């Protein structure tokens, strides 16, 4: 129930509605612009069957008031974004009641992201000089904690899948859509990611076989893929071994589907790659700080050290190593390496190996350093032990295995529900407590632990998003407080140093050596 609906002004059905939409480049880029617009037209027409509705694009950079012509007071102007086709028409009605009552335009606060109009008002209200918009408080985000805007290609793919599942989607209320997303069928649709595949379910913990697991819920922030709600159940915590695992999940042979073009927001040209490689830092590479954390281990390697970065994507870590240690033999290994990257990395003396590194073994005792940056959480939990055995076999006696992964054992991962960022791709959420016994069985011992924090590394990112999209008034305010801290460079850097000293941060970075084979750190 909206806070504003307790004293509604009288509002008859609108006769004329002008919808001014903001175009967004991402939808044109993925070829979904016209479909989003058609969906929005059908949705508005369904809810205002008696009205004359006109759609037109908003001119960028010019205030709405200047773009609005004069007209009778019953004429409505509604500004929307094409990113938000699942417009909440009940919210719009509430905004219109306030607009009539106060004679001002109205904006929404507290709605599920992706469902609110940007602004609604009468022609006269929007054109009135100096009118400050009234706020319409709405509490759907507190109830559902979801994200329905199409600002990411993955969400476009899931939205298309919902359109196929429900041909009458444009007629459904936001509450009806989210009730489906909270159901097991809804969770399956999102985890399937729009693909026609069967999912696998675990009846027991895939690591220890315990039947004592319970579902974890996101109460504050949302997975980046959107559409799941606070009631959706997809990550489970094992009471016995403490593994957090995705359930249901795709079969191993289907996992590649997550990494199609929707997973990569950018198709790099050779020039763009060159620009990226010559400007590697914490702002251009999401886990750059993790690379810097293991500099002590990198410095300990022999002059001709053989380095393998497994699952290294575009090769940022390889470039980082080659820049700092030109004599090292640096190799990027991944399933499918970007063709332009192979050329550009080749020019920098880095070798690229296309290979299923989770299955195909490497030559025994051939490597001085093997790295996995944000890779192991993408592996099926039942494969982890076999995989670590392969890594251990490939290491020379004094070689290092270093990896990073989101750390469920650290409070900084719980903040903003960061641990649940990527259900689907992330099949597990790990911690040293879960990993150390498995690694030990594979002959690997932890010689160093570091922490870095993705959410605290820069302003204008995770907490800025949280200040808009978190579920409650309090959690949005908490995000504002932390975002303010992050805007002061000196304060942020000082706090980051404190976090490193105290082993705090969303990312767990472990460095391991073979038991009995390495030097003491
Ligand atoms: Zn378990």
């Amino acid at each position: 129930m909206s806070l504003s609906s307790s004293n509604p002004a009288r509002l008859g059905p609108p006769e004329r509605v002008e919808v001014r939409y903001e175009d967004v480049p991402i939808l044109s880029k993925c070829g979904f612009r016209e479909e989003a617009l058609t969906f929005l037209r059908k949705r508005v027409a369904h809810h205002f069957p008696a009205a004359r509705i006109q759609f037109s694009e908003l001119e960028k950079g010019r205030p709405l008031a200047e773009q609005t012509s004069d007209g009778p007071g019953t004429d409505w102007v509604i500004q929307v974004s094409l990113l938000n086709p699942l417009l909440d028409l009940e919210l719009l009605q509430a905004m219109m009641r306030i607009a009539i009552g106060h004679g001002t335009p109205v904006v929404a606060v507290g709605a599920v992201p992706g469902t609110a109009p940007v602004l609604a008002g009468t022609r006269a209200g929007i054109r009135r000089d100096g009118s400050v918009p009234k706020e319409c408080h709405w509490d759907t985000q507190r109830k559902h904690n979801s994200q329905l805007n199409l600002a990411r290609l993955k969400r476009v793919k899931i939205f298309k899948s919902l359109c196929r599942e429900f041909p009458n989607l444009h007629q459904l209320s936001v509450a009806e859509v989210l009730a489906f997303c909270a159901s097991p069928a809804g969770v399956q649709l999102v985890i399937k990611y729009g693909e026609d595949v069967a999912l696998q379910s675990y009846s027991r913990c895939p690591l220890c076989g315990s039947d004592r697991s319970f579902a974890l819920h996101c109460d504050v922030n949302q997975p980046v893929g959107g559409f799941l709600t606070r009631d959706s159940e997809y990550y489970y915590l094992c009471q016995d071994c403490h593994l957090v695992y995705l359930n249901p999940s795709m079969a191993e042979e289907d996992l590649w589907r997550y990494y199609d073009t929707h997973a990569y927001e950018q198709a790099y040209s050779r020039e763009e790659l060159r620009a990226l490689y010559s400007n590697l830092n914490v702002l251009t590479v999401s886990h750059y700080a993790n690379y810097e954390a293991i500099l002590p281990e990198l410095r300990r390697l022999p002059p001709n050290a053989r380095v393998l970065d497994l699952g290294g994507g575009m090769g940022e870590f390889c470039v980082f190593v080659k820049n700092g240690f030109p004599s090292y033999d640096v190799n990027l290994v991944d399933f499918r390496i970007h063709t332009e990257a192979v050329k550009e990395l080749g020019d920098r003396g880095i070798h690229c190996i296309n290979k299923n590194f989770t299955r195909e073994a490497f030559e025994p005792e051939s490597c001085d350093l093997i790295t996995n940056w944000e890779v192991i959480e993408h592996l099926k939990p039942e494969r982890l032990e076999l995989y670590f055995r392969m890594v251990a076999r490939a290491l020379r006696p004094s070689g290092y295995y270093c990896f990073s992964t989101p750390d469920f054992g650290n409070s900084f991962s719980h903040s903003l529900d960061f641990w649940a960022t990527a259900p689907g791709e992330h099949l597990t959420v790990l911690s040293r407590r879960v990993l150390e016994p498995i690694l030990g069985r594979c002959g690997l011992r932890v010689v160093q632990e570091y922490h870095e924090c993705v959410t605290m590394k820069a302003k204008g990112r995770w907490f800025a998003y949280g200040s808009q999209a978190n579920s409650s008034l309090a959690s949005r305010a908490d995000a504002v407080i932390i975002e303010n801290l992050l805007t002061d460079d000196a304060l942020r850097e000082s706090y980051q140093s404190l976090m490193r000293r105290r082993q705090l941060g969303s990312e767990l970075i472990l460095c391991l050596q073979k038991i009995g084979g390495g030097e003491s750190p």
Side-chain angles (χ1 to χ4, degrees), residues 205 207-210 238 240-243:
C205 168
L207 211 54
C208 76
S210 164
C238 172
D240 290 301
C241 73
H242 311 290
L243 175 73

Side-chain angles (χ1 to χ4, degrees), residues 218 222-224 234-235 413 417-423 426 429:
C218 289
Q222 315 85 38
V224 291
Y234 45 98
Y235 276 122
S413 266
D417 289 313
F418 175 81
W419 62 276
T421 297
H426 289 187
V429 193

Side-chain angles (χ1 to χ4, degrees), residues 117 145 159 175 401 454:
N145 187 34
F159 180 73
Y401 173 42
V454 171

Side-chain angles (χ1 to χ4, degrees), residues 53 84 90 165 181 269 307 366 382 391 403 444 508:
I53 303 166
N84 305 348
E90 289 167 26
E165 182 83 12
C181 294
S269 70
V307 177
S366 60
E382 57 273 29
V391 169
F403 64 76
L444 293 163
L508 170 69

Side-chain angles (χ1 to χ4, degrees), residues 228-473:
L228 297 164
T229 81
R230 68 163 70 246
D231 297 320
S232 310
E233 298 192 339
Y234 45 98
Y235 276 122
Y236 289 78
L237 171 65
C238 172
Q239 295 270 31
D240 290 301
C241 73
H242 311 290
L243 175 73
V244 175
Y245 58 98
L246 185 71
N247 195 17
S249 64
M250 272 197 203
E252 191 172 350
E253 59 271 24
D254 288 319
L255 288 174
W256 62 269
R257 295 168 193 273
Y258 287 123
Y259 310 104
D260 70 2
T261 50
H262 283 83
Y264 301 101
E265 307 277 331
Q266 199 173 356
Y268 286 99
S269 70
R270 188 88 184 257
E271 289 66 35
E272 285 164 335
L273 284 169
R274 206 167 289 153
L276 170 68
Y277 294 152
S278 52
N279 186 32
L280 299 178
N281 59 58
V282 289
L283 299 179
T284 59
V285 181
S286 58
H287 295 95
Y288 188 80
N290 300 5
Y291 308 166
E292 291 185 309
I294 68 153
L295 274 169
E297 283 68 31
L298 277 166
R299 291 192 186 108
R300 283 198 196 101
L301 301 180
N304 59 348
R306 181 168 160 81
V307 177
L308 252 56
D309 185 28
L310 307 184
M314 302 305 291
E316 294 96 330
F317 176 68
C318 290
V319 175
F320 171 81
V321 176
K322 200 71 186 172
N323 286 347
F325 308 88
S327 68
Y328 290 2
D329 169 20
V330 183
N331 300 270
L332 169 65
V333 186
D334 213 328
F335 285 80
R336 288 170 298 163
I337 303 174
H338 194 289
T339 333
E340 296 302 308
V342 173
K343 296 179 200 160
E344 189 57 30
L345 293 168
D347 284 355
R348 291 164 188 264
I350 294 160
H351 309 112
C352 294
I353 306 168
N354 283 290
K355 175 173 174 140
N356 179 351
F357 58 88
T358 66
R359 291 253 172 205
E360 297 168 42
F362 293 89
E363 195 185 325
E365 302 201 354
S366 60
C367 303
D368 298 284
L369 171 67
I370 294 178
T371 50
N372 274 151
W373 303 112
E374 309 295 305
V375 169
I376 59 173
E377 65 275 13
H378 296 249
L379 304 182
K380 295 290 268 187
E382 57 273 29
R383 290 276 310 159
L384 280 174
E385 187 162 338
L386 271 172
Y387 176 69
F388 290 145
R389 278 186 202 286
M390 273 176 41
V391 169
R393 261 198 302 276
L395 281 184
R396 289 190 176 128
S398 59
Y400 287 97
Y401 173 42
C402 301
F403 64 76
S404 68
T405 190
D407 187 0
F408 194 76
N410 203 292
S411 296
F412 281 75
S413 266
H414 302 170
S415 169
L416 294 176
D417 289 313
F418 175 81
W419 62 276
T421 297
E425 293 97 318
H426 289 187
L427 304 176
T428 57
V429 193
L430 300 160
S431 58
R432 180 166 175 174
R433 178 155 70 165
V434 168
L435 287 165
E436 202 161 12
I438 313 172
L439 290 157
R441 289 198 293 277
C442 301
L444 293 163
R445 73 185 165 107
V446 176
V447 293
Q448 197 58 256
E449 174 179 344
Y450 302 105
H451 274 88
E452 288 294 333
C453 196
V454 171
T455 56
M456 299 284 288
K457 74 174 184 178
K459 65 180 174 185
R461 299 199 173 189
W462 293 84
F463 285 96
Y465 174 78
S467 70
Q468 300 293 315
N470 276 1
S471 62
S472 68
L473 205 57

